[in-house]
Amino acid sequence: MRKKIVAANWKMNKIAAEARSYIESLLVELGEATDVEVVLIPPFTLLPLCSQMLGESPSVRLGAQNMHPAKSGAFTGEISASMLRDLYARYVVVGHSERRQLFGESDGFVGEKVRAAHDASLRPILCVGETLGERTAGHVEQVIDRQLGAGLHGVDAKEMGETVIAYEPIWAIGTGHNATPEQAQAVHAHIREVIASLYAAPVAERVRIQYGGSVKPDNAAELLRQPDIDGALVGGASLDPRSFAAIVHAAREAKG
Ligand code: PEP
């Protein structure tokens, strides 16, 4: 049984005072239950504050939005996996479509980050997903296969079990048009098949695959009930603690 994982990607939003009141509300809304893994992914600047506020909270983990694959060096403006570990991040988002599209990150570079994250005992959340043009042209599986092949290059079976995949169709991100549960389920099932063929069926059964793209409290339950949808990566709707908590509650109800 895979534990559902619901993550809040704040992107480039919030300053300290906003993060403080958000976390106070979120902890109240979530209560003590630990049946769903919740990951808060603030901007780098807020990682220390968030980790201090979350303390030993059993239900919420911290993640980062990006990292550089090098261990250290002359990479002005970048941050390494060990720096993120030092700030108590457990997860790191890798290959988000905004990084791929706005910052020109290639499949190969994304793969280097996945490798470097594992080397530092950070769990990567590897994002994959097609554009609307690629979907219309019938190339969804081809795009996913290419991104998975490069993104998982050099990852062994044990590390694969600790990697989270996020299927994020680009046409659904921030648009208000989520993939239907059937569309998402079909791609998630395909992703699991690809992992089974690259590793083995028991490894694929362990891997959690999140859906991301306009997840909201009113569409989360139906998406999260699909057999291969093991959680959500949430952008816009995660900025409000009540709406994010409602998505976590939907995951709780959908589990099993
Ligand atoms: C995202 O950017 O990962 C995302 C899923 O955003 P949104 O929920 O706003 O579509």
Side-chain angles (χ1 to χ4, degrees), residues 9 11 96 98 168 172-174 212-215 233-236:
N9 175 9
K11 307 192 183 185
H96 191 281
E98 286 154 15
E168 297 211 309
I173 295 182
S214 297
V215 176
L233 180 53
V234 189

Side-chain angles (χ1 to χ4, degrees), residues 43-75:
F44 301 134
T45 50
L46 294 173
L47 283 169
L49 171 71
C50 291
S51 84
Q52 197 190 342
M53 287 195 71
L54 293 172
E56 297 298 302
S57 162
S59 55
V60 187
R61 306 252 182 261
L62 266 186
Q65 297 177 18
N66 184 32
M67 55 170 268
H68 193 278
K71 283 197 166 70
S72 61
F75 300 101

Side-chain angles (χ1 to χ4, degrees), residues 150-194:
L152 298 173
H153 184 73
V155 170
D156 68 25
K158 180 174 176 293
E159 291 164 339
M160 186 65 242
E162 289 162 1
T163 302
V164 176
I165 305 293
Y167 169 54
E168 297 211 309
I170 295 169
W171 48 271
I173 295 182
T175 59
H177 302 297
N178 59 285
T180 64
E182 296 71 28
Q183 284 173 321
Q185 166 57 29
V187 181
H188 281 233
H190 175 72
I191 291 172
R192 208 174 297 288
E193 277 166 23
V194 173

